[in-house]
């Protein structure tokens, strides 16, 4: 078990913008259904990135200035590989991640991507048990994330 009970604690403690993303003790990945069209993949990953930004705000590095003095808002300092899987693998990985308190998990479902009114999405989701996931994002201790997504290829 990690010394940290939540991914937020780990991100806060581990903030290391001076080292390679492969050296950090925390890992953040997104896993998407590779069969989706590019537009739905882009939508899902953008939305899940926003979720991470709210849930784990220290994942963003400090703002940076370029040579002309223009400010560039901070980007995630630990990287985020986008991995490919099928719908069954997404469901399986999400279920395993959800059972771990030291892993943050968020998802984008087919229902979420087809809903146009958030209140209706919430109402429909509350009565739905068979959810088709289009993408998930997980963050937590590197060794635990690697066990969940090991062997998945990068999205091409």
């Amino acid at each position: 078990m990690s010394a940290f009970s939540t991914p937020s604690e780990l991100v806060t403690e581990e903030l290391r913008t001076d080292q390679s993303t492969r050296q950090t003790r925390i890992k953040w990945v997104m896993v998407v259904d590779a069969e989706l069209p590019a537009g739905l993949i882009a939508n899902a990953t953008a939305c899940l990135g926003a979720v991470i930004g709210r849930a784990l705000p220290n994942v963003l590095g400090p703002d940076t200035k370029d040579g002309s003095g223009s400010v560039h808002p901070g980007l995630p300092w630990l990287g985020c590989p986008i991995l490919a899987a099928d719908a069954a693998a997404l469901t399986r990985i999400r279920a395993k991640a959800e059972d771990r308190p030291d892993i943050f998990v968020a998802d984008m479902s087919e229902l979420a991507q087809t809903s146009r009114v958030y209140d209706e999405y919430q109402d429909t989701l509350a009565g739905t048990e068979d959810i088709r996931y289009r993408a998930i994002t997980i963050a937590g201790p590197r060794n635990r994330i690697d066990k969940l997504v090991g062997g998945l290829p990068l999205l091409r």
Side-chain angles (χ1 to χ4, degrees):
M1 183 88 174
S2 169
F4 303 93
S5 60
T6 68
S8 184
E9 289 175 6
L10 183 54
V11 171
T12 300
E13 179 69 24
E14 185 64 19
L15 179 58
R16 293 295 307 266
T17 60
D18 63 331
Q19 66 182 196
S20 165
T21 58
R22 293 181 183 193
Q23 294 175 310
T24 63
R25 292 183 352 195
I26 189 167
K27 186 170 185 173
W28 168 35
V29 303
M30 291 193 195
V31 185
V32 299
D33 183 339
E35 298 298 317
L36 292 176
L40 292 177
I41 289 173
N43 171 266
T45 57
C47 291
L48 290 175
V51 171
I52 285 285
R54 183 179 72 178
L56 307 175
N58 287 335
V59 79
L60 299 177
D63 293 350
T64 303
K65 288 185 180 179
D66 64 24
S68 70
S70 217
V71 175
H72 301 267
L75 296 171
W77 56 267
L78 72 148
C80 180
I82 312 293
L83 307 175
D86 60 26
L90 282 168
T91 300
R92 189 170 51 254
I93 294 166
R94 187 192 176 285
K96 287 180 181 178
E98 185 179 38
D99 287 342
R100 304 225 35 134
D102 57 348
I103 294 177
F104 175 82
V105 60
D107 58 70
M108 175 62 74
S109 66
E110 180 177 45
L111 176 61
Q113 282 192 321
T114 57
S115 295
R116 298 292 173 251
V117 178
Y118 199 79
D119 287 352
E120 290 173 10
Y121 158 70
Q122 289 182 300
D123 290 344
T124 304
L125 186 62
T128 304
E129 292 184 21
D130 186 23
I131 299 170
R132 179 172 162 77
Y133 298 104
R134 290 188 165 175
I136 61 169
T137 189
I138 54 176
R142 176 172 294 283
N143 61 341
R144 304 221 194 284
I145 300 300
D146 284 343
K147 284 181 184 176
L148 290 171
V149 300
L152 292 179
L154 286 172
L155 180 68
R156 302 254 178 229

